Amino acid sequence: MRIGFIGLGSMGSAIAVNLAKAGHDVRAWNRSKVAQESVPGVSLVELAADAFKADAVFTMLSDDPAIREVILDAGLLASAQPGLTHVVTSTISVAFARELELLHEEAGLGYVSAPVLGRPNVAASGQLNILAAGKAEALAAIEPLLVPLSKKVWKLGDNPARANTAKLACNMMIAMAIEAMAESVVLTESVGLDRADFFELILSTLFSGRAYESYSAQITEQSFEPGFKAKLALKDMRLATEFSHEIGRTLPMLEAVREGLDRAVTAGLGDKDWSIMADMTVRGGDALASRKINLEI
Ligand code: NAP
């Protein structure tokens, strides 16, 4: 199948390469120049519009404004190949997913929201969990494309916004887990308990599971290379907050992790992994300035 691809960042490049490995003719566009060696098997195209001359197109840009600028403002839906299905794998707002659904319907194109769980290394190994929602016909058209990218495709129904809401809820819970681990370290290190030993205890007893395993290791090793950038995580916490307000609720733990990530980004740490938020909590507010100097930002 001919597949267009928009956005060859950390996640997009891994997914595009896997689509090519699965035997598809992948034509990909990225705003800044990408080395061909970094995306073996993928054909790089000059214009984003070229990626919409395909049976399906994947978008893995960073956020709502990027998708609006590259796709909607440039009129790519109007010039797309008839019958094309657009798969948006980026983490976007619930409101924007609804808007995209409507605009694709008006343009006679298929639309599927398919945000993903898994970091770039998971994407590269074809083990993502994909949260997919859209009209049955559009989902059926693209499901065979998602299978080689994923451990599982979770089909969440015909309302695309469901997938986006579920994705935001997942990231909200991971952020809370990161902050929960950090605050536990504040207590346990104060009495001389080594954090690796404490994490071994909680992973073996109360909190086994992917998020705790992965982020306890980062907090122990204090390695904050992304991964998932704090500035993108802050975007997700803002989107989750917007949606909570839309449904008339204020969620206190969500507010707390959003503020924690906001502090990290404001301190110039937005390109570090989002687990940098834990480091800031462990060190306490006063240590922030010295951390900034240590990281030479
Ligand atoms: P990334 O490495 O920062 O890549 C972002 C991509 O968006 C790049 O291709 C970038 O182009 C492009 N972009 C940003 N603004 C643009 C604009 N105004 N116009 C054109 N292109 C623009 O981010 P990522 O980690 O791959 O994340 C991509 C999406 O996946 C995000 O929605 C994120 O929330 C979601 N996600 C990430 C992870 C993760 O662990 N990293 C996991 C699940 C979901 P340039 O190369 O030119 O900058």
Side-chain angles (χ1 to χ4, degrees):
M1 198 186 264
R2 178 173 291 185
I3 302 177
F5 205 100
I6 306 265
L8 296 170
S10 323
M11 294 293 288
S13 52
I15 294 173
V17 167
N18 280 340
L19 285 168
K21 271 189 199 157
H24 299 293
D25 172 11
V26 182
R27 315 236 166 150
W29 176 87
N30 196 61
R31 173 180 62 179
S32 46
K33 198 167 162 49
V34 167
Q36 180 65 63
E37 312 82 79
S38 66
V39 282
V42 172
S43 308
L44 297 169
V45 296
E46 286 292 316
L47 302 171
D50 294 337
F52 272 72
K53 305 283 183 228
D55 304 303
V57 60
F58 282 64
T59 292
M60 197 36 143
L61 296 172
S62 47
D63 54 17
D64 297 16
I67 297 176
R68 191 175 292 287
E69 181 189 329
V70 171
I71 296 170
L72 301 186
D73 295 351
L76 300 196
L77 299 190
S79 62
Q81 178 169 306
L84 165 142
T85 303
H86 188 189
V87 186
V88 175
T89 51
S90 307
T91 307
I92 60 171
S93 69
V94 177
F96 192 45
R98 290 192 197 114
E99 183 184 342
L100 287 172
E101 180 189 19
L102 193 67
L103 292 173
H104 283 74
E105 203 170 300
E106 285 169 5
L109 304 172
Y111 174 75
V112 173
S113 276
V116 304
L117 301 181
R119 290 153 69 91
N121 60 325
V122 177
S125 60
Q127 291 294 304
L128 292 167
N129 277 283
I130 303 183
L131 315 182
K135 294 234 160 35
E137 195 187 338
L139 258 182
I142 56 103
E143 193 182 355
L145 307 180
L146 302 182
V147 169
L149 308 176
S150 60
K151 186 173 178 186
K152 178 159 176 162
V153 179
W154 299 81
K155 288 188 271 180
L156 302 181
D158 62 3
N159 174 5
R162 269 199 192 173
N164 303 94
T165 308
K167 169 62 187 172
L168 292 176
C170 290
N171 276 15
M172 177 182 84
M173 290 180 72
I174 299 172
M176 290 170 180
I178 291 171
E179 182 61 16
M181 284 186 274
E183 293 185 19
S184 304
V185 167
V186 171
L187 295 185
T188 51
E189 283 193 342
S190 76
V191 291
L193 191 53
D194 181 75
R195 69 179 71 171
D197 294 340
F198 175 69
F199 285 143
E200 189 186 349
L201 163 72
I202 61 162
L203 287 169
S204 317
T205 54
L206 301 168
F207 291 100
S208 58
R210 185 81 50 87
Y212 277 87
E213 260 169 40
S214 160
Y215 289 102
S216 65
Q218 285 198 240
I219 295 167
T220 301
E221 289 156 18
Q222 301 186 51
S223 80
F224 302 109
E225 288 316 303
F228 185 42
K229 292 172 191 148
K231 64 184 180 192
L232 290 178
L234 174 59
K235 174 252 310 174
D236 293 352
M237 296 311 111
R238 285 185 175 143
L239 298 182
T241 305
E242 273 169 31
F243 185 61
S244 73
H245 292 170
E246 184 191 316
I247 59 172
R249 298 296 299 269
T250 298
L251 304 177
M253 286 168 70
L254 171 58
E255 302 282 320
V257 288
R258 195 195 67 240
E259 282 165 18
L261 283 162
D262 197 15
R263 277 193 294 279
V265 173
T266 304
L269 303 172
D271 284 321
K272 295 287 164 191
D273 192 76
W274 59 336
S275 51
I276 194 76
M277 175 177 65
D279 194 56
M280 290 176 59
T281 295
V282 171
R283 287 166 186 271
D286 295 343
L288 188 56
S290 60
R291 179 74 197 161
K292 216 172 142 184
I293 291 161
N294 289 343
L295 289 169
E296 292 179 346
I297 283 169

